[in-house]
Amino acid sequence: MNLGNWQLDSVSGGAFSIDGGVAFGIVPRTLWGKLMPPDENNRVRLGANCVLARDGRQAILIDTGYGDKYSALDRNFWSLETGSPVLEGLARLGVDAADVDLVVLSHLHWDHAGGATQLDAQGRLVPTFPRARYVTGRIEWQDALSQAPELLTAYPLQNLQPLAEANVIELIEGNTEIVPGLTAVHTGGHTRGHMALKFESAGQQAMFIGDVCATSLHLHRMWNLSYDTYPLVTRRIKPRLLGEVADAGAWIIWPHDTRTVCARLERHPQRGFEVVDRRAQL
Ligand SMILES: [Zn+2]
């Protein structure tokens, strides 16, 4: 997709399967099961959608998918793809890991930050993108490295510690312009430091909304991931962001939808919002 000066491309960070109840929070299976039928283990298939943004000067990757550092047990539990999905996705666009200048992480859960690090030939954990700076929110980084017992399982340190050791992390606060035409929008909700990413150029906009609205089925205020750390915040911020997208005629980019990676939205008198102009790729 061309958005003014930006060339935006979809990159798959790998599909995975999670329990449908986890994917839809308090919504009963009788409702979500019709829209996203689960497998025999009650699991639904999600994508880990990343975005490659290029403007002729720099290559920016939004999120990294789950990477390739998993045991056979984990691979089976989540039905993970083999190999390194994000690197294979980039290669299909003719982009090498060393071509990426900047990695922006919406938040630091495993399915977004797992691809940020990898094992090198000597078995050491290193940043996957050797030339890149890595940007994320300061609050998110603090929570992820806090070792607080209630957050431990959400943030495997092997995805993060190598970035700290290589001194490639850059922390931002609140709503910040990361580079001209790319702004972080602090949302909270899903995690305390979670952010959406907004692209703007030549009067056009696209918003990578992140996990405050995981798929095109999550538009309703109450349809949210069970992983949300602050569900009330998600319920408040999501309608506001969706309204901004609809009113600006912007594109919305979903992080976990396997069929609709992006679309436009219109306000709807009963349902709040409806999806128009669905696209499987950017
Ligand atoms: Zn996620």
Side-chain angles (χ1 to χ4, degrees), residues 16 18 22-23 78 109-111 189-191 211 224-230:
F16 61 106
I18 65 168
V22 171
W78 304 98
H109 282 164
W110 69 280
D111 52 324
H190 182 62
T191 63
D211 280 5
N224 295 314
L225 301 169
S226 296
Y227 287 125
D228 282 359
T229 325
Y230 300 93

Side-chain angles (χ1 to χ4, degrees), residues 53-154:
R54 289 174 286 185
D55 64 357
R57 296 193 307 270
Q58 56 198 335
I60 302 172
L61 181 65
I62 308 294
D63 284 350
T64 63
Y66 51 69
D68 62 358
K69 310 182 296 296
Y70 298 94
S71 66
L73 200 68
D74 285 339
R75 289 191 174 282
N76 184 46
F77 183 80
W78 304 98
S79 289
L80 301 182
E81 293 176 27
T82 54
S84 175
V86 71
L87 292 182
E88 287 161 26
L90 287 169
R92 282 193 286 276
L93 295 168
V95 173
D96 191 71
D99 298 329
V100 175
D101 299 290
L102 186 64
V103 176
V104 180
L105 299 165
S106 63
H107 63 298
L108 298 172
H109 282 164
W110 69 280
D111 52 324
H112 298 257
T117 66
Q118 65 181 7
L119 291 165
D120 71 6
Q122 284 76 44
R124 292 173 307 208
L125 283 165
V126 293
T128 304
F129 303 95
R131 287 182 43 254
R133 291 182 295 129
Y134 288 68
V135 171
T136 196
R138 181 177 299 279
I139 295 173
E140 184 68 9
W141 183 258
Q142 285 169 350
D143 280 356
L145 276 89
S146 68
Q147 299 284 290
E150 67 275 20
L151 291 173
L152 262 189
T153 54

Side-chain angles (χ1 to χ4, degrees), residues 210-225:
D211 280 5
V212 294
C213 186
T215 78
S216 59
L217 298 179
H218 287 82
L219 294 181
H220 191 284
R221 187 191 295 272
M222 304 301 281
W223 287 49
N224 295 314
L225 301 169

